[in-house]
Amino acid sequence: MPSLKPYHTFSLDSYCPHIFKFSSSDEFLALEKQHANSIIIGEGSNTVFLTDFEGAVLINAIKGIDCEETNDTYRVKVGAGENWHSFVEYCMDKGWYGLENLALIPGTVGACPIQNIGAYGVEVNRFIESVEFIDLDTSKPQILSNSDCEFGYRDSLFKRELANKVLITRVNFVFPKQNNPVFSYGELATLIDPSPQEIFDRVIEIRKSKLPDPKILGNAGRFF
Ligand SMILES: Cc1cc2nc3c(=O)[nH]c(=O)nc-3n(C[C@H](O)[C@H](O)[C@H](O)COP(=O)(O)OP(=O)(O)OC[C@H]3O[C@@H](n4cnc5c(N)ncnc54)[C@H](O)[C@@H]3O)c2cc1C
């Protein structure tokens, strides 16, 4: 039976007979139809497989980043299977600022609204315009606006009423061109009038000094 070790950051050697990656909603729906007992994961950085899982593990690999520029914003639509940190790096390269405080958080873009990821004074809901998903009961696409997601501290509707009832397929972000950097939190407060790049670099430096890299030492950060 294939090992789940590479698919969750705790890297416990549990097993599962069916492990699939899907790169579109249609592929997901076909897999879900074939496997009644299935779970969805992104990069397994908030998931631990303590025991073997007898069903199917479906790994989200829906990709794509599209940007529409308006007079005062960048509106960016991102496939849920994109790696979170690579997306933050991409934003930095493009000059779409705001996510720099959230650098180096493990996982996928699709998981970011579920617990409303946050770090160093910023939570992702500040930049989420809407979340697209498939309703697993009806297999139909749906969209929730920011306010309908009911974001809270490490919380959202996706963690409560919609838990295990949806596949998040795309997260739509909006970044104001007028950026307001946040650097009053913890160690960032020593920075003087920093650029977004300086915040990004400092957050990476701090995180590397504090948390073990899951690729070297299995862990799942803190649990939410
Ligand atoms: C070293 C380390 C540091 C961390 N630091 C932080 C931090 O600073 N701040 C913070 O907020 N979090 C932090 N985390 C937690 C983790 O990074 C987040 O929870 C992240 O969003 C998980 O993403 P993932 O793709 O790995 O999710 P997974 O672990 O794969 O999935 C988590 C849950 O979401 C569900 N899920 C995943 N993708 C989808 C989808 N597309 N549709 C529907 N359901 C889905 C899964 O079924 C599962 O229940 C840290 C984790 C680690 C290991």
Side-chain angles (χ1 to χ4, degrees), residues 40 42-47 60 106 108 111 115 117-118 168 207 219-221:
I40 300 162
E43 294 183 7
S45 59
N46 211 23
T47 302
N60 178 13
T108 50
Q115 67 161 45
I117 59 169
I168 295 173
R207 290 186 73 101
N219 74 88

Side-chain angles (χ1 to χ4, degrees), residues 20 26 38 46 54 65 84 88 91 136 147 161 183 223:
F20 300 100
D26 287 346
S38 62
N46 211 23
E54 292 303 329
I65 304 178
W84 175 258
V88 177
C91 291
L136 301 187
S147 61
E161 287 85 336
F183 57 98
F223 283 91

Side-chain angles (χ1 to χ4, degrees), residues 47 58 66 123 128-129 139 200 205:
T47 302
L58 308 182
D66 296 305
E123 291 180 326
I128 291 179
E129 188 170 50
S139 303
F200 176 81
E205 196 178 279

